[in-house]
Amino acid sequence: MTTDQETSMSVTETGATIWLTGLPSAGKTTIAYELAGRLRGEGHRVEVLDGDEIREFLSAGLGFSREDRHTNVQRIGFVAELLAANGVKVLVPVIAPYADSRDAVRKRHQAEGTAYLEVHVATPVEVCSVRDVKGLYAKQAAGEISGLTGVDDPYEAPESPDLRIESHRQTVQESAAELYALLSERGAA
């Protein structure tokens, strides 16, 4: 092995899981992709584990019972920790409505010594229902679906997140910049 190969192999990037939790249509995914673009532009290895994509591919067959939601969050948490432990910045825009499920993911990261940040995208349900990106609030109001998080199914907001973003009070770019500042402060950007 040459010296150049040794040098390039010894350079490692610090990975981290950045978990964005909030109601449907809160802005989690939009903020995650905005931040991902900035981080990639700086040369970071970045993955976005979008909750909808995970449901389609990794958690297909799971429903929306409390148990199934917990299983979904644990699967995502496992993949996120694995990637983060290998130097990837992992942005996870997932509702994850239950505090105990999110706490289990945080504990897994802590046990493995992997950086984990919880970000609450704290957008009021009234704003989310107007945004209604996927039409879920309209379907729930029309009686076509039930179990909508934050409406007729619980959402347990984080009590002490690493960051709380009020996406309805600022632009996507400002929200992503606020999150980037936290990553920089914590040595993860």
Side-chain angles (χ1 to χ4, degrees):
M1 184 181 296
T2 68
T3 306
D4 288 341
Q5 288 173 325
E6 289 174 8
T7 302
S8 67
M9 291 180 70
S10 66
V11 175
T12 59
E13 181 171 344
T14 302
T17 295
I18 302 94
W19 196 284
L20 294 94
T21 179
L23 296 173
S25 297
K28 302 175 298 296
T29 302
T30 305
I31 294 167
Y33 278 108
E34 180 71 23
L35 180 59
R38 180 173 181 177
L39 292 170
R40 284 186 184 114
E42 294 178 355
H44 296 279
R45 294 171 46 207
V46 180
E47 287 296 331
V48 177
L49 298 181
D50 180 275
D52 293 331
E53 292 175 0
I54 296 292
R55 274 237 174 236
E56 183 179 348
F57 297 106
L58 185 64
S59 294
L62 288 179
F64 291 91
S65 68
R66 184 179 180 103
E67 182 180 311
D68 282 356
R69 288 177 192 235
H70 179 77
T71 298
N72 184 50
V73 168
Q74 297 317 296
R75 288 178 182 176
I76 297 168
F78 172 79
V79 173
E81 194 283 322
L82 185 65
L83 289 167
N86 284 283
V88 178
K89 308 280 189 273
V90 186
L91 302 170
V92 186
V94 175
I95 296 168
Y98 303 113
D100 61 341
S101 295
R102 294 188 308 266
D103 288 344
V105 171
R106 179 186 294 273
K107 286 176 183 170
R108 174 181 188 75
H109 280 71
Q110 288 171 339
E112 298 297 326
T114 305
Y116 177 89
L117 298 171
E118 183 177 71
V119 179
H120 180 206
V121 182
T123 309
V125 70
E126 299 80 20
V127 174
C128 294
S129 66
V130 170
R131 290 179 180 171
D132 204 8
V133 178
K134 300 172 201 156
L136 298 174
Y137 293 92
K139 288 179 182 176
Q140 191 276 336
E144 295 173 26
I145 63 169
S146 63
L148 181 58
T149 302
V151 178
D152 59 353
D153 208 55
Y155 176 75
E156 299 169 356
E159 291 181 15
S160 302
D162 296 285
L163 178 65
R164 191 176 316 278
I165 293 175
E166 295 185 353
S167 71
H168 59 294
R169 299 188 190 275
Q170 58 193 21
T171 66
V172 171
Q173 293 76 19
E174 290 168 336
S175 295
E178 193 175 353
L179 183 47
Y180 182 86
L182 175 66
L183 293 176
S184 295
E185 176 186 304
R186 301 281 176 93

